[in-house]
Amino acid sequence: MHIKEELAERHTLSVLVDNEPGILARIAGMFTARGYNIESLTVTDVSEDQSVSRITIVTSASSHVMEQIIAQLDRLVPVHRVTDLTAFGPHVERELALVKVAGRGDDRIEALRLADVYRARVVDATTASFIFELTGSTDKIDSFVALMREVGLVEVARTGVVAIARGAEAA
Amino acid sequence: MQAEKSGADILIEALCDIGVDTIFGYPGGAVLPIYDALFNQSRIRHILVRQEGGAVHAAEGYARSTGKPGVVLVTSGPGATNAITGITDALMDSIPIVVITGQVATHLIGTDAFQEADTVGLTRHCTKHNYLVKDPAKLGGVIHEAFHIATSGRPGPVVIDIPKDVQVATAPYKKPGPIEHRAYRPQVRPETALIEAAVEMLAAAERPILYTGGGIINAGPGASQMLRELARLSCAPVTSTLMGLGAFPASSPQWLGMLGMHGTYEANMAMNKADLMVCLGARFDDRVTGRLDAFSPQSRKVHIDIDRSSINKNIRVDLPIVADVGRAIEDMVKLWKARQHPKSDLAEWWRRIEGWRARDSLAFPGGGKEIMPQAAVKALFAATRGRDPIVTTEVGQHQMWAAQHFGFEGPNKWLTSGGLGTMGYGLPAAIGAQIGNPRALVIDIAGEASIQMNIQEMATATQYRLPVKVFILNNQYMGMVRQWQELSYAGRYAESYSDSLPDFVALAEAYGWTGIRIEDPGDLEDGIARMLAAEGPVMVDCVVAKLANCFPMIPSGAAHTEMLLHDAEVSGEMDDEAKALV
Ligand SMILES: Cc1ncc(C[n+]2csc(CCOP(=O)(O)OP(=O)(O)O)c2C)c(N)n1
Ligand SMILES: [Mg+2]
């Protein structure tokens, strides 16, 4: 017997929650407990009195599992609101990456040239290395990191996706 | 300035304000301040169990039979971990309980202190919600909020972990007003347009079926009343999950019996052939649906549930309604009457149902010199009919036979572990039910294996003079396991024999109970009569046919139409796909 897998689709969810101890474990744990996947998860408080946090989760699932994920999130006591930004429509998604590259000679010049093309900023430099700072979509960062691999990538730190709906209203 | 109270006193005060009069618990180092506060008062009665797991099941039994939340108090570390099975059980079956656990002092948390366990971490995913209270000033508010969460919306267990220093430290306490939670607002009232659509669908259906579940019991006795009314108006047949038994009277001609894996032929066939199914407070559990793609294939589906995540989880429905099921049925009834929908003509549908019913799927072979377990349940039912008993069960064949052959006329009389299937539930649940209903006849229909899982609670019944009756269907096997081994593994009975059983009669007497053994079919009635006549707790060791199997049965992964009705149809070995299903 073999175990079958379902086709998955990538969605970005925005979840407003009470900023209480353990909230991250509650959300992340619910995903593992129910076998949902998390591609990235970010969390920080976003209200003036630090009482509400926004959690941005990128997950992939089939459409009926996605409906379940949203319902399961919504059912957690500290969750105020869940928005599926992918289903909602126009929204902005960004990620920030810090990319360390080491090398000399041609590799070093090529790294700088590519960074320029991607509008990455140099935030640290030695005679043998750079750290680039890059903001953009996940795809853009993926392809930049892939290029850097060829010219001396040392390590990468990424924030994961943050996202917000376009337009004047809160989603 | 308001006088300050210790955390322990705040807890007692808040519990009294909420109306709690009974706690099931077990003491230990991390709850000593609370026990001392209990000692100094008389408003709350503490029931001392013999193991924390027993306390939680007792609280569940109390809650399920009274409609009030059950309350548990246990110590840190092993006290809390022992409670976890019961907490998970309450989550699966949506039972409102509040479990208060002691914790090591706040400055010791995280140091691997004596009897420290990460209780909020361990219970995060087996509670509806949980709290670690580090500030005594917040304790009162948390307790009130915990009861609100446990009892509203889809009920469930809530854990409050209270460090020992917080029990001792002082703070002011004031009874809060109605709880307005910032984020948690269950949707109770159904949308009118959806109710209209549901009524129209039901009135237009030619082959409707009402599929009811534990949600109706949770919605209170009024919901069961409304269900009867809706059934009367619509003439639709009614079936129920294991958890929903009693919401609709078993004596009604509209009652089809339980559906699902061990449901009746008529219930499962009607589900399969229906053109409209109205699911009321049930959740399409795999024990009910069988193979998903073959489940009620011709029906349009209405699903009313207070928990949005239950809707479209396993089965896609045409009309989802998020609401308290009692309110929703009430609205349906009102609308039906207001529109003066005529009584539907379901004669043809009922003719087909009567045909399925004529198969008499609960019939069982005679046992000759042995007592058939089904016959024992029927005799128990017959002997207790006028007494409106509360019946609890353990888990296994006896549980299914009780569900099949014991008829319930009203809600809150049938207490069983459905979702988690926890062996050892029945005795402590019976104790909790007896505490909540001192005058009721409470019977635990048990298996000889399950009863040993919380046998220590016999002492609790003795201590509080609780006249619970434990009726063991002793087949000397973990019968349900043996039955599956017979079906799927060609009768290789790996570890399912109940070896080295105690002498249950002697055991009963050792605990100060009455012990009765019934071995002969001719003694069945008399033995039951003696059990009912005895004043205190009674344990009956009813020796039954060893190898009887529970039918009908839909093997896992099969469709409702592939029901096995008799032993003769049983195949000896199953393929891997079927073996992989629970
Ligand atoms: C705590 C727990 N462990 C294991 C099981 C698996 N299980 C389900 S039924 C059963 C056998 C129960 O035997 P018994 O109580 O004698 O009941 P019978 O089926 O014979 O009526 C077992 C082991 C369970 N449900 N719960
Ligand atoms: Mg047995």
Side-chain angles (χ1 to χ4, degrees):
Chain A
M1 192 193 81
H2 298 279
I3 293 170
K4 301 183 200 98
E5 305 237 346
E6 277 190 274
L7 270 179
E9 201 180 293
R10 189 170 177 277
H11 281 239
T12 303
L13 308 179
S14 179
V15 188
L16 287 175
V17 297
D18 268 342
N19 191 10
E20 57 168 45
I23 181 65
L24 192 56
R26 223 179 267 290
I27 304 258
M30 188 279 284
F31 271 74
T32 36
R34 293 191 180 270
Y36 307 146
N37 111 319
I38 299 182
E39 285 181 14
S40 97
L41 186 152
T42 65
V43 52
T44 321
D45 73 73
V46 291
S47 61
E48 206 172 345
D49 60 357
Q50 304 187 334
S51 68
V52 175
S53 289
R54 185 186 295 277
I55 299 183
T56 309
I57 304 172
V58 180
T59 176
S60 48
S62 64
S63 64
H64 95 270
V65 174
M66 192 60 67
E67 183 181 338
Q68 259 301 297
I69 292 177
I70 293 166
Q72 291 293 350
L73 280 169
D74 205 29
R75 162 166 116 106
L76 297 175
V77 169
V79 168
H80 291 237
R81 196 168 68 219
V82 186
T83 311
D84 180 349
L85 289 171
T86 307
F88 171 84
H91 64 281
V92 183
E93 279 185 31
R94 289 290 180 273
E95 200 179 335
L96 182 141
L98 297 171
V99 182
K100 187 182 289 180
V101 179
R104 291 176 189 275
D106 284 352
D107 277 356
R108 187 169 162 83
I109 293 162
E110 186 58 18
L112 259 188
R113 213 181 55 75
L114 288 167
D116 193 44
V117 173
Y118 276 77
R119 297 207 189 86
R121 289 199 311 137
V122 176
V123 291
D124 180 69
T126 69
T127 54
S129 69
F130 293 115
I131 297 174
F132 298 116
E133 176 199 305
L134 176 66
T135 319
S137 68
T138 300
D139 281 352
K140 174 177 164 184
I141 291 172
D142 284 348
S143 62
F144 182 70
V145 172
L147 287 169
M148 290 300 112
R149 260 182 234 291
E150 292 176 28
V151 292
L153 181 76
V154 178
E155 59 179 348
V156 186
R158 295 170 72 152
T159 56
V161 172
V162 293
I164 203 157
R166 286 189 189 273
E169 310 283 305
Chain B
M1 220 353 242
Q2 209 183 336
E4 296 204 340
K5 286 189 164 78
S6 71
D9 285 331
I10 291 176
L11 171 65
I12 304 292
E13 200 59 39
L15 291 177
C16 289
D17 282 345
I18 290 161
V20 172
D21 53 20
T22 308
I23 293 182
F24 300 90
Y26 205 91
V31 281
L32 284 176
I34 299 174
Y35 272 85
D36 196 49
L38 277 171
F39 188 79
N40 285 316
Q41 57 85 50
S42 56
R43 293 174 292 176
I44 297 176
R45 183 180 187 207
H46 180 274
I47 305 296
L48 178 69
V49 296
R50 296 301 183 271
Q51 207 262 24
E52 290 85 352
V56 186
H57 293 317
E60 288 185 276
Y62 177 90
R64 193 73 172 165
S65 63
T66 62
K68 295 190 281 186
V71 185
V72 175
L73 173 60
V74 298
T75 192
S76 66
T81 53
N82 272 347
I84 283 180
T85 300
I87 294 171
T88 311
D89 192 88
L91 182 75
M92 292 290 268
D93 285 344
S94 309
I95 311 294
I97 59 169
V98 174
V99 179
I100 296 148
T101 54
Q103 182 53 278
V104 301
T106 45
H107 69 278
L108 291 174
I109 290 178
T111 65
D112 301 319
F114 178 62
Q115 295 195 326
E116 179 184 359
D118 174 13
T119 302
V120 281
L122 288 167
T123 60
R124 193 169 283 130
H125 303 294
C126 63
T127 51
K128 182 171 175 186
H129 197 52
N130 64 8
Y131 302 86
L132 169 63
V133 186
K134 290 185 168 173
D135 175 358
K138 296 203 172 131
L139 184 58
V142 165
I143 293 162
H144 283 268
E145 188 178 289
F147 277 83
H148 170 65
I149 288 171
T151 54
S152 62
R154 177 173 178 179
V158 177
V159 165
I160 311 173
D161 199 24
I162 313 178
K164 199 168 177 184
D165 54 338
V166 175
Q167 299 168 28
V168 177
T170 59
Y173 164 74
K174 197 164 121 272
K175 181 180 177 179
I179 310 276
E180 287 275 333
H181 197 277
R182 291 180 351 143
Y184 171 76
R185 302 265 169 95
Q187 186 176 334
V188 174
R189 309 185 65 147
E191 277 180 44
T192 314
L194 300 179
I195 292 295
E196 282 174 6
V199 167
E200 264 155 39
M201 285 163 84
L202 185 55
E206 290 172 2
R207 302 187 308 280
I209 185 165
L210 304 180
Y211 152 45
T212 63
I216 302 201
I217 313 284
N218 276 331
S224 295
Q225 240 16 69
M226 282 299 139
L227 170 65
R228 286 151 206 233
E229 196 57 15
L230 185 67
R232 189 182 64 79
L233 292 169
S234 66
C235 302
V238 183
T239 180
S240 164
T241 67
L242 181 69
M243 294 307 294
L245 295 178
F248 194 73
S251 59
S252 163
Q254 277 171 271
W255 173 241
L256 301 187
M258 181 172 77
L259 85 165
M261 186 172 272
H262 292 291
T264 64
Y265 187 70
E266 54 270 35
N268 285 330
M269 288 306 287
M271 202 61 155
N272 189 265
K273 302 295 179 214
D275 69 348
L276 178 78
M277 168 227 293
V278 183
C279 170
L280 302 164
R283 60 183 176 85
F284 299 96
D285 181 83
D286 55 76
R287 284 292 178 275
V288 159
T289 59
R291 200 173 81 227
L292 283 176
D293 59 12
F295 176 68
S296 196
Q298 306 164 19
S299 67
R300 302 233 289 150
K301 298 175 181 70
V302 180
H303 186 183
I304 305 178
D305 203 293
I306 193 134
D307 180 0
R308 170 186 162 198
S309 75
S310 287
I311 292 176
N312 287 338
K313 180 169 65 179
N314 302 333
I315 291 283
R316 289 213 75 83
V317 297
D318 302 281
L319 182 65
I321 304 179
V322 179
D324 175 271
V325 72
R327 289 267 194 114
I329 304 177
E330 185 178 353
D331 286 3
M332 285 179 76
V333 165
K334 278 190 188 146
L335 194 72
W336 189 294
K337 287 183 177 164
R339 298 234 168 129
Q340 301 193 323
H341 278 301
K343 262 195 188 241
S344 324
D345 179 14
L346 303 179
E348 169 58 19
W349 181 223
W350 274 107
R351 205 187 48 71
R352 289 178 73 185
I353 292 172
E354 292 309 338
W356 295 319
R357 202 178 247 168
R359 296 284 293 266
D360 194 11
S361 63
L362 296 181
F364 52 92
K369 285 207 198 67
E370 292 182 315
I371 298 174
M372 288 305 280
Q374 301 92 324
V377 173
K378 288 184 91 158
L380 197 57
F381 175 47
T384 56
R385 246 193 147 139
R387 297 186 56 181
D388 208 12
I390 295 173
V391 173
T392 74
T393 74
E394 308 288 338
V395 172
Q397 290 180 319
H398 63 275
Q399 176 189 31
M400 292 301 121
W401 283 319
Q404 292 174 338
H405 296 283
F406 212 100
F408 294 93
E409 295 297 305
N412 306 99
K413 303 290 180 195
W414 165 248
L415 322 182
T416 194
S417 170
L420 198 62
T422 312
M423 291 168 70
Y425 167 89
L427 172 56
I431 286 172
Q434 189 79 75
I435 292 279
N437 305 267
R439 269 173 243 290
L441 170 63
V442 182
I443 307 172
D444 173 22
I445 299 181
E448 84 295 333
S450 296
I451 192 64
Q452 295 182 75
M453 285 222 178
N454 272 319
I455 194 98
Q456 77 286 347
E457 298 308 329
M458 289 178 78
T460 309
T462 308
Q463 178 177 347
Y464 297 97
R465 299 176 199 280
L466 304 173
V468 294
K469 317 295 178 206
V470 174
F471 193 89
I472 303 172
L473 295 178
N474 185 349
N475 53 9
Q476 292 178 48
Y477 275 103
M478 298 171 200
M480 191 56 94
V481 174
R482 190 196 51 69
Q483 177 167 348
W484 279 57
Q485 288 170 334
E486 192 172 309
L487 260 62
S488 306
Y489 298 90
R492 295 186 292 277
Y493 294 163
E495 304 295 329
S496 53
Y497 181 63
S498 287
D499 210 315
S500 309
L501 285 172
D503 174 340
F504 286 112
V505 171
L507 184 73
E509 283 161 4
Y511 273 109
W513 290 35
T514 303
I516 297 174
R517 179 164 296 114
I518 310 176
E519 286 171 295
D520 195 287
D523 293 340
L524 190 54
E525 265 178 50
D526 179 56
I528 291 172
R530 279 196 291 143
M531 172 186 93
L532 296 174
E535 294 248 312
V538 184
M539 176 167 270
V540 176
D541 182 15
C542 183
V543 180
V544 297
K546 281 189 198 176
L547 300 179
N549 284 336
C550 184
F551 292 102
M553 176 173 185
I554 302 172
S556 39
H560 279 179
T561 45
E562 296 160 11
M563 211 172 319
L564 307 175
L565 291 175
H566 311 289
D567 260 320
E569 300 173 25
V570 172
S571 66
E573 193 93 37
M574 282 192 179
D575 62 16
D576 286 355
E577 301 275 347
K579 276 183 185 165
L581 295 165
V582 196

